[in-house]
């Protein structure tokens, strides 16, 4: 894979890296094995987060065996205050088993008041700037799902990287990626498969990587096979043929815009419904004709779509503003 500059950080990153969410589903040894293969393939950019529970610790286990300096390590924190972020940074450093982090990001900044707290006098940004001066943090970035915030981050120019969702179904930030690129801001793509909704994964990765504003895309993997498939999409990177473009477009049209990206920010539900899993089952039932398999699995769900009490709590948390209650009613009509 031909490496790309991560904005003006001076770092060269592979176009395809590793997202750390699925490591939570495996174990420390499995994570190390994936990291080892990633290193062989040149995919040595890893993105994780304090919020991904054991992910940092598993990655730390891999780093110990494979060599810390062989990887470009990015993590993030949901903390917005000085005190909160310094506590989380200490845990990240300890779990990762390192004394420096290449890229520290403020995770999922969701609204302007969140951003103001972050940038304020006792905010997390100032604390991390100080850690940067000490050499503990090499570069500082930010992530969001909001286009309004993306615009603001590009305009303000405080961050060396921005992480944002991007795939053939979610092109809402595209104009701003170019502006970010022109300003020398590294652009990290999350949700390259729309949270698992996209089936044509190779086509999606190639579509994303043909945008020159993209520095690195970070699909999460929980197996070496998935990693190899992702890396293959960029080795070498070829443009989509007319037929491939039509295939990708047909899938985008079939999903529309009201689909769940499985980010899980809506949870916990007031009554314990696993909202993204319900939507996943509905998709398998309606789009993939796996009716018997879905019915069997869904029967084992403790809480079902029909148990929703219409409180709206989940909708206030969904970064995509999905009408979750209406969507659950539709899912219930199919599954319950
Ligand atoms: S609206 Fe329904 S799904 Fe959402 S939190 Fe309330 S009970 Fe759960
Ligand atoms: S409903 Fe919204 S918040 Fe919940 S997993 Fe789906 S996209 Fe994420």
């Amino acid at each position: 894979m031909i490496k790309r500059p991560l904005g003006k950080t001076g770092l060269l990153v592979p176009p395809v890296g590793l997202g750390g969410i699925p490591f939570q589903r495996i174990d420390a040894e499995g994570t190390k094995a994936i990291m080892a293969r990633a290193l062989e393939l040149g995919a040595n950019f890893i993105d994780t987060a304090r919020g991904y529970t054991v992910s940092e610790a598993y990655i730390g286990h891999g780093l110990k065996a494979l060599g810390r300096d062989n990887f470009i390590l990015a993590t993030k924190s949901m903390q917005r205050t000085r005190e909160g972020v310094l506590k989380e940074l200490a845990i990240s450093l300890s779990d990762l088993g390192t004394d420096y982090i290449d890229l520290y990001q403020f995770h999922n900044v969701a609204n302007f008041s969140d951003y103001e707290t972050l940038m304020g006098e006792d905010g997390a940004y100032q604390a991390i700037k100080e850690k940067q001066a000490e050499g503990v943090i090499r570069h500082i970035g930010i992530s969001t799902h909001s286009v309004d915030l993306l615009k603001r981050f590009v305009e303000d120019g405080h961050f060396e990287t921005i992480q944002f969702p991007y795939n053939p179904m979610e092109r809402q930030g595209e104009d701003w990626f170019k502006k970010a690129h022109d300003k020398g801001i590294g652009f990290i793509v999350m949700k390259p498969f729309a949270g698992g909704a996209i089936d044509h994964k190779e086509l999606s990765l190639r579509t994303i990587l043909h945008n020159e504003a993209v520095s690195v895309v970070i699909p999460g993997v929980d197996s070496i096979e998935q990693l190899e498939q992702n890396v293959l999409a960029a080795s070498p990177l070829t443009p989509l043929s007319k037929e491939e473009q039509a295939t990708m477009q047909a899938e985008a049209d079939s999903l529309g815009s009201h689909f769940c990206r499985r980010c899980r920010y809506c949870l916990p539900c007031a009554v314990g419904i696993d909202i993204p899993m319900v939507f996943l089952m509905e998709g398998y039932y309606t789009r993939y004709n796996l009716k018997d398999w879905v019915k069997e699995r869904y029967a084992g769900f403790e809480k079902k779509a029909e148990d929703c009490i219409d409180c709206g709590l989940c909708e206030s948390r969904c970064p995509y503003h999905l009408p979750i209650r209406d969507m659950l009613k539709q899912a219930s009509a199919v599954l319950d």
Side-chain angles (χ1 to χ4, degrees):
M1 290 189 291
I2 298 168
K3 303 240 166 152
R4 299 182 175 194
L6 185 63
K8 289 195 286 202
T9 62
L11 295 170
L12 280 177
V13 290
V16 177
L18 275 176
I21 293 180
F23 294 153
Q24 296 171 96
R25 294 200 290 267
I26 47 179
D27 56 20
E29 278 301 307
T31 302
K32 186 177 88 181
I34 290 172
M35 288 170 63
R37 184 69 181 126
L39 200 53
E40 284 170 4
L41 295 167
N44 66 336
F45 181 88
I46 305 186
D47 178 84
T48 183
R50 188 76 290 282
Y52 304 161
T53 63
V54 292
S55 174
E56 287 182 325
Y58 290 175
I59 291 167
H61 177 73
L63 293 174
K64 199 169 170 195
L66 300 165
R68 163 66 185 94
D69 295 343
N70 289 325
F71 289 88
I72 298 170
L73 193 55
T75 192
K76 15 187 181 8
S77 169
M78 293 282 283
Q79 297 295 321
R80 307 294 183 238
T81 63
R82 165 181 289 273
E83 195 190 347
V85 83
L86 290 178
K87 267 190 201 152
E88 287 219 335
L89 172 61
I91 299 170
S92 292
L93 290 167
S94 163
D95 281 6
L96 289 162
T98 183
D99 55 6
Y100 73 97
I101 287 167
D102 298 286
L103 177 65
Y104 199 78
Q105 303 154 101
F106 300 106
H107 193 175
N108 192 29
V109 176
N111 53 56
F112 287 101
S113 100
D114 209 10
Y115 184 47
E116 271 157 33
T117 309
L118 175 72
M119 303 306 288
E121 212 176 304
D122 278 325
Y125 178 74
Q126 201 46 48
I128 292 301
K129 280 298 272 184
E130 289 163 19
K131 288 290 169 188
Q132 186 179 33
E134 290 170 21
V136 176
I137 301 295
R138 300 277 162 90
H139 304 282
I140 304 176
I142 196 159
S143 83
T144 187
H145 292 74
S146 152
V147 179
D148 291 338
L149 282 161
L150 169 65
K151 290 179 195 167
R152 178 76 182 272
F153 300 157
V154 175
E155 281 164 0
D156 287 359
H158 295 303
F159 300 96
E160 295 170 272
T161 66
I162 299 175
Q163 188 173 144
F164 197 82
Y166 181 42
N167 59 63
M169 278 76 182
E170 299 179 87
R171 311 186 89 129
Q172 66 275 21
E174 219 164 27
D175 291 348
W176 287 89
F177 306 159
K178 163 108 182 59
K179 291 190 175 83
H181 182 65
D182 292 347
K183 284 183 87 164
I185 299 170
F187 182 58
I188 300 170
V189 171
M190 61 163 132
K191 310 280 183 309
F193 308 136
I198 293 176
D199 283 335
H200 294 95
K201 295 183 168 45
E202 185 211 326
L203 300 187
S204 184
L205 283 177
R206 283 165 56 205
T207 306
I208 293 163
L209 289 171
H210 269 287
N211 186 332
E212 64 161 14
V214 172
S215 306
V216 54
V217 55
I218 47 166
V221 299
D222 58 15
S223 73
I224 287 175
E225 293 71 34
Q226 283 174 11
L227 166 71
E228 289 172 342
Q229 281 163 13
N230 293 338
V231 170
L232 209 59
S235 320
L237 185 61
T238 52
L240 268 64
S241 67
K242 283 237 157 48
E243 292 74 25
E244 287 172 330
Q245 284 175 26
T247 303
M248 198 69 262
Q249 192 55 49
E251 186 169 18
D253 293 345
S254 85
L255 279 168
S257 59
H258 275 176
F259 66 93
C260 172
R261 283 80 166 174
R262 292 189 227 157
C263 62
R264 302 183 73 80
Y265 289 126
C266 52
L267 301 177
C269 153
V271 297
I273 302 167
D274 189 334
I275 298 165
M277 277 304 282
V278 169
F279 294 147
L280 180 69
M281 289 297 118
E282 185 200 11
Y284 281 149
Y285 190 96
T286 53
R287 282 192 285 120
Y288 302 117
N289 205 18
L290 294 166
K291 293 190 170 59
D292 291 343
W293 181 83
V294 167
K295 284 280 181 193
E296 200 183 316
R297 280 204 74 186
Y298 189 69
F301 282 24
E302 223 164 90
K303 294 288 175 181
K304 305 206 162 52
E306 65 185 1
D307 294 318
C308 173
I309 55 168
D310 225 17
C311 69
L313 189 61
C314 52
E315 291 181 9
S316 66
R317 297 181 189 137
C318 176
Y320 301 97
H321 310 294
L322 293 184
I324 296 175
R325 288 173 288 181
D326 287 347
M327 289 168 68
L328 281 176
K329 284 185 187 109
Q330 284 169 26
S332 182
V334 173
L335 299 171
D336 288 318

